[in-house]
Amino acid sequence: MNLYLIILTLIAIFSIVRFYTFNMFGRWVAGIVIFGAICEYGHFTMGYYFRNSMPVAHLGLIVSTAIYTKVYYDTFHNKKWARLIGILGIVAIIVLLINSLFINDIKSWPVNSIMAANFLIVFFALAQFTEMLRYPGEDGLEKQALFWFNTANLIFYSSSHIYLVLYQYSSQTGLLQNWMIHLVEFLGIIYYIGYFIVLRLSTIPQRIESALQHG
């Protein structure tokens, strides 16, 4: 097991153990982490037994896009922006379904779906950053879970386009494959550490005390 999987597994376990101590936003983020861990181990299992794990990638993109749409819809203060987020998310999910069923073979790497999902989540994150700057709140940005959530998303999903370029290059030339894998794992580590910070900031102290008393 490499460092990326170790970190993801530990944060997923933390998410499960502390799930009921999080506020509602934290629970959705915990759900993303847990689902991410399930997908990673699903990739390994499908690849080992069936020699093809791409269906997991297709399904993971569709489900994660639905979750992100729900999270961003709920956390936008501006109702017009929230409605726009909801509409874009629903359209994106339909596009991803069509792509997986009719365009991009479900047994092949879902390049089209990855690009569409990445653009959508980067747009969501930038839009919410703009709203946060307009309505900063009482606490500094570094103390707000939404800030770290959007920072992690922006770093990971914007950098993923570099990965797609390298993937296309390596599939044609056979070069950079090992380096590309390490890059993706490094980005994944940053992404999930960012989510761990989100979870810590989304914890309700009284619920920790209650959990300890009943444990």
Side-chain angles (χ1 to χ4, degrees):
M1 184 180 290
N2 58 32
L3 180 60
Y4 164 70
L5 278 178
I6 291 172
I7 290 175
L8 172 56
T9 302
L10 290 175
I11 297 175
I13 292 171
F14 174 82
S15 300
I16 294 169
V17 172
R18 292 289 186 90
F19 187 82
Y20 289 105
T21 68
F22 303 138
N23 58 27
M24 188 55 64
F25 171 66
R27 291 182 186 183
W28 279 108
V29 175
I32 294 174
V33 173
I34 295 166
F35 182 70
I38 292 171
C39 286
E40 288 294 342
Y41 285 101
H43 274 295
F44 175 79
T45 304
M46 290 282 290
Y48 182 81
Y49 287 104
F50 302 102
R51 305 300 180 189
N52 190 304
S53 62
M54 291 305 103
V56 176
H58 284 264
L59 178 63
L61 282 167
I62 294 168
V63 174
S64 61
T65 299
I67 296 173
Y68 278 117
T69 300
K70 168 65 176 174
V71 172
Y72 277 104
Y73 178 84
D74 287 346
T75 52
F76 260 90
H77 296 291
N78 188 305
K79 298 304 178 184
K80 291 182 179 179
W81 272 102
R83 284 195 293 270
L84 177 62
I85 293 298
I87 293 169
L88 289 176
I90 292 170
V91 171
I93 292 166
I94 294 171
V95 169
L96 296 185
L97 280 168
I98 293 173
N99 179 69
S100 295
L101 294 174
F102 304 109
I103 301 173
N104 215 159
D105 185 359
I106 200 168
K107 293 183 179 180
S108 65
W109 186 244
V111 177
N112 298 336
S113 294
I114 292 173
M115 290 184 65
N118 286 356
F119 275 120
L120 184 75
I121 296 169
V122 167
F123 173 76
F124 286 174
L126 288 174
Q128 193 157 69
F129 264 133
T130 302
E131 185 177 69
M132 291 181 72
L133 291 174
R134 291 182 62 185
Y135 308 102
E138 297 180 359
D139 297 326
L141 288 177
E142 74 281 358
K143 296 180 181 179
Q144 297 183 37
L146 268 178
F147 169 78
W148 291 102
F149 178 70
N150 287 302
T151 299
N153 288 342
L154 197 58
I155 291 173
F156 182 78
Y157 288 104
S158 61
S159 301
S160 292
H161 289 292
I162 299 174
Y163 164 73
L164 287 175
V165 172
L166 292 175
Y167 173 81
Q168 294 290 347
Y169 176 77
S170 64
S171 64
Q172 295 172 5
T173 63
L175 302 174
L176 299 178
Q177 289 182 341
N178 290 332
W179 186 83
M180 182 179 67
I181 291 171
H182 292 315
L183 172 64
V184 175
E185 289 177 350
F186 175 71
L187 292 173
I189 289 171
I190 294 175
Y191 172 73
Y192 283 113
I193 288 176
Y195 274 21
F196 178 71
I197 297 173
V198 172
L199 294 173
R200 294 289 295 176
L201 292 173
S202 300
T203 301
I204 301 175
Q206 293 85 349
R207 291 183 179 173
I208 294 180
E209 294 176 5
S210 176
L212 290 174
Q213 289 173 359
H214 291 85

